[in-house]
Amino acid sequence: MSILKIKTVCTIFVLILSACSKGDQTIVKSPPPGIINTDLIKLEDVLKIDSSEFIFLINKVRGSVGKKGSGSKVIWSKKNEYNLGLYVSANHVYGLDTWPNREESFIDISEINNGVFLGSQIPKRDGAIALGNELIADFGLYHPEIPLHATNQSIHPAFDFYIGNLDNQRIEDNGFAVYPSKVQMEQALELYDPVKRTLDSQTWDTAESLDTILAIGYPQDKLNFPNGAISTGLVLSESEALSTIAILKNLGDEEGNIPYNHNVEFMAKAKALPGMSGGGVFNSKGQLLGIMVRATNLDTQPLIRVVRITYIKEKLTSFYHSLSPSNQYLILPFINGEI
């Protein structure tokens, strides 16, 4: 029995869960074969669920979540000047020492070519489940301050995110290291976005207590999750999250030593595996709530920690306004539409 006391909310996600409580009644649904009482599901199995509403939601968001090396990333929007993919991922996925320095900074990708193909993938433009061997050009753009003592394992959520751009350069992975040309601005990024989620007037939202969430990423366990995985869950309140951190600390779990800041992150009852860091967490409308950065279990209940997109947006906006006009001019075309 979980130590946390959380009211269960009935939503379309009931098709994945075995039951949910509503008043004095219990609504029981039968999940598809092979998905009974599981909390992390293969993407291809999720798309077999007999619910047009749920499948619509999955298809609305899944084209925005891709791979980044051994982790994941999520396209925040495509509303910048060039309609490139403005994406977010975890700093520990990028690798802290990969950046030129640890001070809050940006890279002028219109002049400096820091692009890579290796390990960068997003779902195919036609919505096929398998990613195949197609790689897409990936450019690191901005990162917050990275404390000198931080490592890829110990970095706190407040610093564990970065922002990049994806353009439309693509190659087939043939096992050789190939680097893209400088970021291409002539052609909009093409991606699987059937209802144009990435062009919505508000592609994001604030996570609130008891919100139902959908977490999507690419586990390193390719045998069991070859094409990505999905977990559903509920957002914890601030008091529940703080209590959870205190309990974990008493139990000696390393998460108990990572401070919790409600303005920076939220915690949710949901499952993630290594490789899903940097993946997207969405609400039931398909709006981006944040990115997964850490995970643990408490009394068999899986928990994830998610950097809020509202915090990321706030940090990016503040950084932009701190720049000189000439530097604002350099970065704005790649981030406008979301600041």
Side-chain angles (χ1 to χ4, degrees), residues 307-327:
V307 180
R308 294 176 181 270
I309 193 66
T310 48
Y311 171 74
I312 295 172
K313 177 183 172 71
E314 175 187 307
K315 292 292 289 184
L316 177 62
T317 302
S318 175
F319 174 73
Y320 170 77
H321 288 299
S322 74
L323 296 173
S324 66
S326 59
N327 280 333

Side-chain angles (χ1 to χ4, degrees), residues 2-35:
S2 174
I3 296 174
L4 299 175
K5 307 294 184 182
I6 299 181
K7 176 182 174 185
T8 305
V9 178
C10 292
T11 68
I12 55 175
F13 297 96
V14 73
L15 287 165
I16 292 183
L17 305 173
S18 59
C20 72
S21 170
K22 183 178 183 182
D24 294 327
Q25 298 177 325
T26 297
I27 301 172
V28 179
K29 299 281 187 177
S30 296
I35 313 183

Side-chain angles (χ1 to χ4, degrees), residues 134-170:
E134 186 178 72
L135 303 177
I136 189 164
D138 181 303
F139 300 84
L141 180 65
Y142 159 82
H143 68 80
E145 174 194 0
I146 303 171
L148 292 177
H149 64 270
T151 67
N152 290 329
Q153 292 73 40
S154 69
I155 187 169
H156 291 184
F159 313 105
D160 199 6
F161 73 90
Y162 79 95
I163 290 170
N165 276 121
L166 300 174
D167 71 11
N168 218 43
Q169 296 181 76
R170 302 169 194 256

Side-chain angles (χ1 to χ4, degrees), residues 34 41 112 118 133 160 179 190 205 210 250 259 267 303 337 339:
I41 310 169
I112 299 172
L118 187 64
N133 292 320
D160 199 6
Y179 293 90
E190 299 172 9
D205 203 359
L210 293 180
N250 288 336
M267 185 174 281
L303 299 164
I339 64 165

Side-chain angles (χ1 to χ4, degrees), residues 107-128:
I107 295 174
D108 178 11
I109 60 175
S110 65
E111 293 297 331
I112 299 172
N113 186 358
N114 69 339
V116 296
F117 280 123
L118 187 64
S120 175
Q121 293 183 286
I122 60 173
K124 292 185 177 180
R125 288 163 277 192
D126 62 3

Side-chain angles (χ1 to χ4, degrees), residues 291-338:
I291 60 164
M292 294 174 273
V293 291
R294 305 187 68 89
T296 191
N297 290 279
L298 177 58
D299 195 20
T300 72
Q301 172 64 59
L303 299 164
I304 59 173
R305 297 177 71 163
V306 182
V307 180
R308 294 176 181 270
I309 193 66
T310 48
Y311 171 74
I312 295 172
K313 177 183 172 71
E314 175 187 307
K315 292 292 289 184
L316 177 62
T317 302
S318 175
F319 174 73
Y320 170 77
H321 288 299
S322 74
L323 296 173
S324 66
S326 59
N327 280 333
Q328 288 181 348
Y329 176 81
L330 295 176
I331 192 174
L332 182 60
F334 299 100
I335 62 175
N336 59 8
E338 291 297 354

Side-chain angles (χ1 to χ4, degrees), residues 22-74:
K22 183 178 183 182
D24 294 327
Q25 298 177 325
T26 297
I27 301 172
V28 179
K29 299 281 187 177
S30 296
I35 313 183
I36 297 175
N37 295 324
T38 186
D39 51 12
L40 192 62
I41 310 169
K42 292 180 182 180
L43 177 60
E44 54 267 45
D45 287 345
V46 172
L47 293 175
K48 298 173 185 175
I49 291 175
D50 186 18
S51 167
S52 59
E53 187 177 4
F54 188 68
I55 297 303
F56 176 83
L57 174 62
I58 297 298
N59 284 327
K60 183 175 183 178
V61 302
R62 68 179 178 86
S64 297
V65 183
K67 295 182 69 174
K68 173 66 178 181
S70 60
S72 302
K73 61 188 170 192
V74 57

